[in-house]
Amino acid sequence: MSGENQGGAIVPYSEEAKKPVVYPLRHGLKPPISRLGISWSRGNSLRVTVFRQPSEDSENEVGGKAVEVRLDGRDGEISDAQWRRIAYGSVSPFALLQSRKNSFASLSKISSTTSPFDAEWWEYVLEYSKDISSLLGNQTSTTQSLIEDPKEVLKDPEPTSLKAAWELMESFYADKLSQAWLPERLVDWLADYDSLFSSTQETVHSKLVDFQKDLVSLQVIEDEPKYWEVMSSALAVGWLDIVVKLLRLHGSYQLDQLGNRETENGLVEAVAVLISKMPRMRPELEAGKLGECFKAKPDFMKAWEKWRAQIAKLECSTFWIQCAHRQTQEGLRNMLQIMLGNTNNLCTLTCHWMELYIAHFLYIRPFTVGLESMYGLAQKCIQLKPMAASHRLMGLLIGILGENIEVVLAECSKGFGPWMVTHAIEVLTAGSHQADTLLHEERDNLGGISMEELHRLVYAQVLSSHPLTWQIAPIYLTSCIKQGMGLLEILLYKQPVDHNQLLLKNLEICRLYELDSVSSNIMKIAGMYNWKHGKKGSGVYWLQQARDEARLNRIAQQMFDSVGRSISDESFRQWEGLIQLLGSEPKTAGGLEFLHKYRDFKKSLLQIRDGKTTDAARQAVESLISLMKNPSTPQRFWLPLLHDSLKLLNWEERPLLNVLQTNLLLNKLQELSIARLRPDFIEADLPPHALSSVRLALATNLGRATLEEQ
């Protein structure tokens, strides 16, 4: 579509758009491939189904394969299991910060002097940032040898871009105490994460790694040009401890050569001392790091001028003439030029603009303050030493230095995904009214929600799409004022109810967020699902929990129909466990109250068969009369009940029913005879002579009861 004809386009197309991203598809099938099937998978992934062309020679080979293609830009630094660990671990800090934010909001309504940007608030944000940072791992290796190798220059850090990005955000936005020494923070940051850029181009770190491999085989290290080059590059980016350690490997330190190379050794040691005494504008240094720290700028300026004067004095010393080793003389003087801020040397010895940027802070512009001047210097270094390939960390850093919140958010989203954006917003808004306004302003083009809520909803959607992380999505949805609760209800309704543990988790979430109506509906859904899939007991249990009287009555009707067709002992035994589960209260059992009483009646009859006579018989008679009087007893059960009671009606010792009770049963039998004339009457599965047998037994019992009462 040309640019002139885009007026009616739903999504404008730019001819200057970047080249399409190519995602590798590793399916492992042999050609030919006949067709592909593409559909959305979990999260930000596609499921691609690859089908082979069927042939006679491929009977034993796989005909197709389904693979997932991830579109979120992850580069494999962090595994899926590690991402889930990070997702779960970040819930607690996020929830704690939201709780504190709500407390601050409540206080601001009470007191007009309370502001979310008070001094106390950024301390909470910094604590939150530290907690998140700890989840992302340490930038240095925790395993250290008991005996230090004198020729081990570098440890194995195994850093990640995510950790590096978070530390950048923390340094510039959350840690207010470090604002006065941001350049030094960047020096430390590059020392920890310069290896991340080694995959696309040469770095000082990669130089050191390569040199460390060759270090073991070098006999006379000072004769190796790479030795001086690597030291000078490390010095340019401020890795002072590494430089001093390498200098101490110089051959002049060997005991058998001290007498012959005293002047040379003195020059090497003088340079090493100057490096170790370099003034640093920072409060403190980590253990093992070199330099002298100064918190006050006047003290730092005095120390800086004195240090530079010592370097200049050594540069003009006559001892250089007495140094017989040419490589040592040239290498040391080159290092002095670096410390004196020689631009050409710094540009030559650094590998990309970030390293040159750090070198400027250390040796040319140590008094740089303010993001504006730092941004201008960054642009200059980018022109002098551009990177061989763009890196997501560099885009983020430029956005931070340029004080452009939109760019920072875009780089976080593009390079690190929804998790990063959702959690970094809390850091971005710490102490910045501009960022707070931008991210919390309700926008019509977003459906009346803010950018903060939009990013939280996106992240919650990613969590919801995976069965191992959906449980933590409610934490983020409930923090979204506009649309969060509605989407939370949808999420809870979509969870399957066939697994009991998952169902209980779902109901627990409803309880935590006081979603009583949603909880009731989920229990109803679970009840009907279990009932329809043959789990009758579970179905009735969940319907009871939901207090669904209507459905329980329908189930009762089904049970009546089933039991009514055959009320034999074997038929009723199938329902006995379910009836016991229903409980005894009619409010919770719906229309099943009759079955509870019928169960008690059957138990009494069973006791009579087992030899328990008189007391059991009287109890059975009471149950029978109670059932016949109860209006909840369906009419079609009257005859089966009386037929089961023939032994009670024909009791040999004495009549168990008095005249009044016998007349009650006769009246019921008469009503039943009339009801059988209706076309909708359901006949019980009984012998043909059942009615006459019951009528004869009642008549006999009436005569015996009448004689006994007289």
Side-chain angles (χ1 to χ4, degrees), residues 416-427:
F416 305 99
W419 177 90
M420 180 67 169
V421 184
T422 301
H423 295 86
I425 283 177
E426 304 299 335
V427 179

Side-chain angles (χ1 to χ4, degrees), residues 312-360:
K313 183 178 180 180
L314 181 60
E315 170 69 16
C316 301
S317 174
T318 57
F319 288 105
W320 297 107
I321 302 175
Q322 303 174 25
C323 181
H325 196 268
R326 181 179 58 83
Q327 290 92 338
T328 300
Q329 184 187 61
E330 292 177 356
L332 292 177
R333 300 193 79 164
N334 188 43
M335 295 172 71
L336 291 178
Q337 287 299 312
I338 291 173
M339 291 187 284
L340 289 172
N342 188 304
T343 306
N344 293 332
N345 287 26
L346 292 176
C347 193
T348 302
L349 293 167
T350 52
C351 302
H352 54 81
W353 76 264
M354 186 63 192
E355 293 177 351
L356 180 60
Y357 188 54
I358 296 302
H360 273 76

Side-chain angles (χ1 to χ4, degrees), residues 451-486:
M451 290 180 64
E452 178 187 58
E453 183 166 341
L454 173 66
H455 288 296
R456 288 180 183 175
L457 292 176
V458 171
Y459 178 57
Q461 184 180 12
V462 173
L463 294 174
S464 303
S465 65
H466 199 285
L468 297 179
T469 57
W470 75 268
Q471 299 96 326
I472 58 179
I475 301 292
Y476 298 90
L477 288 174
T478 51
S479 67
C480 301
I481 301 175
K482 294 285 186 178
Q483 300 182 8
M485 295 305 295

Side-chain angles (χ1 to χ4, degrees), residues 535-601:
K535 300 178 181 179
K536 306 296 184 182
S538 297
V540 171
Y541 171 78
W542 287 117
L543 290 175
Q544 281 183 315
Q545 297 300 311
R547 301 186 180 275
D548 191 350
E549 296 293 330
R551 287 183 175 83
L552 283 171
N553 284 325
R554 292 179 189 174
I555 291 176
Q557 192 65 37
Q558 291 184 21
M559 294 179 67
F560 294 157
D561 295 341
S562 178
V563 176
R565 293 188 190 98
S566 178
I567 200 165
S568 63
D569 293 342
E570 182 179 354
S571 173
F572 188 77
R573 195 176 297 113
Q574 300 175 2
W575 297 95
E576 188 172 3
L578 180 60
I579 295 171
Q580 186 175 2
L581 173 68
L582 291 173
S584 57
E585 297 183 9
K587 289 184 179 180
T588 59
L592 301 180
E593 181 190 5
F594 154 71
L595 294 179
H596 286 282
K597 294 183 178 181
Y598 181 65
R599 179 197 59 187
D600 298 337
F601 173 64

Side-chain angles (χ1 to χ4, degrees), residues 58-239:
S58 60
E59 293 182 358
N60 298 326
E61 295 183 3
V62 179
K65 190 174 182 180
V67 296
E68 284 193 359
V69 179
R70 185 173 292 152
L71 307 178
D72 55 7
R74 295 188 200 168
D75 54 7
E77 285 184 342
I78 303 177
S79 64
D80 289 342
Q82 181 72 0
W83 268 112
R84 289 193 292 272
R85 188 188 73 83
I86 292 173
Y88 271 92
S90 55
V91 168
S92 180
F94 178 84
L96 177 60
L97 190 67
Q98 298 308 308
S99 175
R100 288 171 170 173
K101 183 183 292 185
N102 294 335
S103 299
F104 266 81
S106 301
L107 289 175
S108 63
K109 293 179 181 179
I110 300 174
S111 174
S112 59
T113 59
T114 304
S115 170
F117 306 107
D118 284 344
E120 186 180 358
W121 176 247
W122 74 262
E123 294 178 359
Y124 289 143
V125 175
L126 181 59
E127 179 185 344
Y128 159 81
S129 180
K130 295 291 186 184
D131 291 340
I132 296 292
S133 182
S134 65
L135 293 171
L136 307 180
N138 296 322
Q139 68 270 22
T140 55
S141 176
T142 56
T143 58
Q144 295 183 356
S145 175
L146 294 177
I147 302 176
E148 185 179 0
D149 186 353
K151 291 190 176 183
E152 184 185 29
V153 180
L154 289 175
K155 304 290 184 181
D156 185 15
E158 299 180 359
T160 62
S161 297
L162 185 65
K163 172 79 170 180
W166 189 268
E167 287 204 357
L168 274 179
M169 305 280 284
E170 180 181 300
S171 300
F172 282 89
Y173 296 110
D175 192 354
K176 301 303 179 183
L177 295 177
S178 69
Q179 299 298 310
W181 52 284
L182 279 175
E184 283 283 344
R185 286 292 295 264
L186 287 177
V187 173
D188 294 343
W189 182 85
L190 183 67
D192 292 331
Y193 302 109
D194 192 44
S195 59
L196 294 172
F197 310 116
S198 301
S199 59
T200 56
Q201 67 171 55
E202 186 182 39
T203 62
V204 173
H205 182 273
S206 64
K207 284 183 179 181
L208 284 166
V209 170
D210 294 339
F211 180 69
Q212 185 168 269
K213 297 176 183 177
D214 303 333
L215 192 57
V216 180
S217 60
L218 293 177
Q219 297 297 326
V220 184
I221 193 171
E222 60 268 22
D223 290 345
E224 178 63 36
K226 195 174 182 181
Y227 168 68
W228 297 103
E229 179 189 349
V230 165
M231 270 200 303
S232 298
S233 295
L235 178 61
V237 293
W239 300 353

